[in-house]
């Protein structure tokens, strides 16, 4: 049996084709992919600068679909179950894996980054990486559980008190999720710092109390005043955003480092020490997936307003091209198979 597939085949190049469907082995399930989120990481990998992944490779790590077949020894799943996929696979036997921190496993890798991902009709994955979708969560929304789980893991590293003031620096999807998570966590005033007016406007719709356009910011305004924030989240990951985060924090404040600079950057450590700031880095958080789905189902975090473009699977190349050429307009692009786009969700 054949399946349709898109692969990253070279510098910024995607190619469609067909491949043989695999049989799910012990502990595995075959998923019929319904929706795929296009992520900045996909573009980064395709540019050849990510330092991992080798073409030809189907990318796609923000995935939702339906269980199609299960392999031997799989309990609790049946064909037709709606799922999202945790793309992270650890070795399963090292100290970090046994402690539930497979993202820290030295031998871990991710579906769609290091291993074949969901740019295809069917994908075989370990059944242990599946999470059941609540009825209230659509496939399109469920693709964002992957991004949201990283953000929620970051929130869990902070001591957030009701009524605190928090700043989010960076107006990409993760910044927009952080705005919502901080409000849900009890921050009374969340300020979003970014560079794109459309996204700042979206941030206000999603709960930001204050937005600051750093391209045209009045540096003397209240929002940019130093030592005004209890929490700062750097969702941009560059020297300027780090500097701003350190400046904005009150003494004793907490800075979450989330955006990736990609290379070493300078930081004002003198201020970090003298202001007694706490710095925390955060990536994946395998433990928080069930709570992410609770948050999505209850409306505590909204995903739909971030979805700016939808493409059919047959036009995945066009989705990638749009993401690359219109980064300001494309907040979150979702590629879906026809059953989803037709309005009648699988199964
Ligand atoms: Zn992603
Ligand atoms: Zn391990």
């Amino acid at each position: 049996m054949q399946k349709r597939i898109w692969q990253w085949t070279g510098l910024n190049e995607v190619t469609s084709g067909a491949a043989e469907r695999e049989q799910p082995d012990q502990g595995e399930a075959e998923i019929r992919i319904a929706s795929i989120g296009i992520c900045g990481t996909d573009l980064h990998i395709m540019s050849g600068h990510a330092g991992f992944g080798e073409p030809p490779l189907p990318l796609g790590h923000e995935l939702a679909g339906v269980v199609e077949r299960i392999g031997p020894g799989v309990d609790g799943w049946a064909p037709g179950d709606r799922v999202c996929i945790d793309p992270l696979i650890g070795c399963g036997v090292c100290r970090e894996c046994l402690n539930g921190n497979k993202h820290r496993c030295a031998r871990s890798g991710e579906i769609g980054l290091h291993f074949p991902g969901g740019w295809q009709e069917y994908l075989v994955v370990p059944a242990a990486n599946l999470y059941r979708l609540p009825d209230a969560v659509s496939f399109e929304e469920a693709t964002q559980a992957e991004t949201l789980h990283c953000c929620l893991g970051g929130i869990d590293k902070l001591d957030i008190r009701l009524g605190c003031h928090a700043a989010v620096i960076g107006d990409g999807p993760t910044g927009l999720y952080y705005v919502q998570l901080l409000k849900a966590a009890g921050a009374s005033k969340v300020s979003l710092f970014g560079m794109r007016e459309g996204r700042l406007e979206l941030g206000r719709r999603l709960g930001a109390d204050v937005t600051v356009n750093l391209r045209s910011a009045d540096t003397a305004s209240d929002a940019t005043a130093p030592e005004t924030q209890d929490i700062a989240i750097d969702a941009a990951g560059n020297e300027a955003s780090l500097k701003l985060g350190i400046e904005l924090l009150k003494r004793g404040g907490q800075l979450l480092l989330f955006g990736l600079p990609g290379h070493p950057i300078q930081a004002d450590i003198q201020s970090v020490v003298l202001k007694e700031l706490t710095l925390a880095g955060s990536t994946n958080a395998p433990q928080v997936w069930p709570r992410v789905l609770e948050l999505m189902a209850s409306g505590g975090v909204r995903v739909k307003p971030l979805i700016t473009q939808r493409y059919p699977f047959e036009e995945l190349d066009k989705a990638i091209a749009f993401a690359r050429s219109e980064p300001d307009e494309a907040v979150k692009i979702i590629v879906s198979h026809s059953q989803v786009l037709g309005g009648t969700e699988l199964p």
Side-chain angles (χ1 to χ4, degrees), residues 28-271:
E28 293 181 334
E30 185 191 42
I31 308 304
R32 180 159 48 130
I33 300 294
S35 292
I36 307 154
I38 302 298
C39 175
T41 305
D42 299 323
L43 304 183
H44 192 51
I45 294 172
M46 292 172 60
S47 74
H49 297 308
F52 50 79
E54 285 289 327
L57 184 72
L59 305 182
H61 59 277
E62 302 180 356
L63 305 169
V66 175
V67 175
E68 182 78 12
R69 293 183 291 170
I70 55 171
V74 172
D75 272 340
W77 295 105
D81 287 343
R82 300 169 71 249
V83 295
C84 61
I85 302 168
D86 172 2
L88 193 77
I89 298 176
C91 76
V93 294
C94 75
R95 185 189 303 260
E96 294 291 1
C97 282
L98 293 175
N99 279 333
N101 292 315
K102 62 179 176 176
H103 60 303
R104 296 179 188 160
C105 171
R107 286 185 282 162
S108 69
E110 291 201 42
I111 291 166
L113 274 66
H114 311 89
F115 313 129
W119 286 5
Q120 39 187 326
E121 277 182 290
Y122 298 94
L123 179 66
V124 171
V125 301
N129 288 50
L130 300 178
Y131 288 95
R132 195 176 303 279
L133 297 189
D135 291 344
V137 178
S138 69
F139 291 118
E140 287 190 334
E141 293 168 299
T143 62
Q144 295 307 290
E146 197 280 327
T147 315
L148 266 164
H149 107 280
C150 293
C151 297
L152 185 56
I155 290 285
D156 278 2
K157 294 209 167 140
L158 299 167
D159 178 14
I160 303 175
R161 300 296 173 95
L162 294 173
C164 70
H165 288 189
V168 176
I169 305 159
D171 56 14
T174 59
L176 295 167
Y177 290 136
Y178 270 122
V179 165
Q180 300 183 65
L181 290 170
L182 284 164
K183 290 304 278 189
S188 66
K189 186 174 171 187
V190 174
S191 305
L192 174 64
F193 294 77
M195 297 211 173
R196 295 167 281 206
E197 202 45 51
R199 296 201 185 189
L200 295 172
E201 158 65 29
L202 181 53
R204 288 193 289 277
R205 277 206 282 144
L206 293 169
D209 302 284
V210 177
T211 56
V212 179
N213 190 331
L214 292 166
R215 283 202 178 122
S216 57
D218 173 3
T219 44
S221 77
D222 288 352
T224 53
E227 304 204 7
T228 50
Q229 306 291 333
D230 301 286
I231 307 269
I233 295 178
D234 182 0
N238 56 61
E239 211 159 297
S241 60
L242 178 58
K243 179 171 182 286
L244 179 61
I246 292 171
E247 278 172 7
L248 289 172
L249 283 171
K250 295 177 189 170
R251 292 158 197 233
Q254 304 164 65
L255 178 61
L256 181 71
L257 303 171
F258 187 80
L260 288 169
H263 54 87
I265 59 173
Q266 302 264 355
D268 177 11
I269 299 301
Q270 176 92 352
S271 293

Side-chain angles (χ1 to χ4, degrees), residues 10-29:
L11 182 64
N12 296 328
E13 182 185 84
V14 289
T15 308
S16 68
E20 206 54 39
R21 273 172 72 180
E22 302 133 71
Q23 187 73 30
D25 207 342
Q26 182 77 23
E28 293 181 334

Side-chain angles (χ1 to χ4, degrees), residues 313-325:
F313 180 72
E314 294 72 21
E315 295 178 9
L316 187 139
D317 55 338
K318 294 201 174 97
I320 297 291
F322 189 86
R324 191 177 294 114
S325 64

